[in-house]
Amino acid sequence: MPTTTTREQERWNEIVADPQLQELPYKVETNAQGQILLSPHENRHSFLQKSVQDLLDEHAPDGHAPPEFAIATEQGVKVPDVVWMSPGRRAEMEATGDPSTLAPELCVEVLSESHTVEEMADKRVLYWAAGAEEVWMVEADGQVRFFRDEEIEQSDLVPEFPTQI
């Protein structure tokens, strides 16, 4: 289990408690220095995010698929658009604190024009370092790309998940 990163957790809890940040229409993350990163997203992004959740509920019903789950990484707190975790992993994650220092088995990012290829490659590495087994990237056109150490044709965790949403 990854080591607790108290500095990231403390900074994240300050951000979560800040009343001025409560109603921001953005995804909030932090970088390695604890600075706040805001990512606005379009309605299309929200629809794709919800579609991923629905499909995970359908094809992997024994787990939990919450949206925008905070994970303390080596480079700040990152918030995948959707995650999936087994009940056992959920218990392990909760034991690490909030935000969790242990990633769920699956982290999903819905891409937008503001995301760079390098940024997404960096996030995959951070999620894997925190314990994720797979990272998925959902393109703007709904194409789903599955990654372990490298790109794979279909998910090993949820083999029936479609490659196109």
Side-chain angles (χ1 to χ4, degrees), residues 57-74:
D57 288 343
E58 177 184 340
H59 296 292
D62 294 335
H64 307 281
E68 300 184 2
F69 196 89
I71 303 166
T73 74
E74 298 168 354

Side-chain angles (χ1 to χ4, degrees), residues 7-18:
R7 182 176 56 90
E8 284 84 1
Q9 288 175 317
E10 287 176 4
R11 177 65 178 132
W12 186 253
N13 289 321
E14 288 174 13
I15 292 167
V16 169
D18 187 332

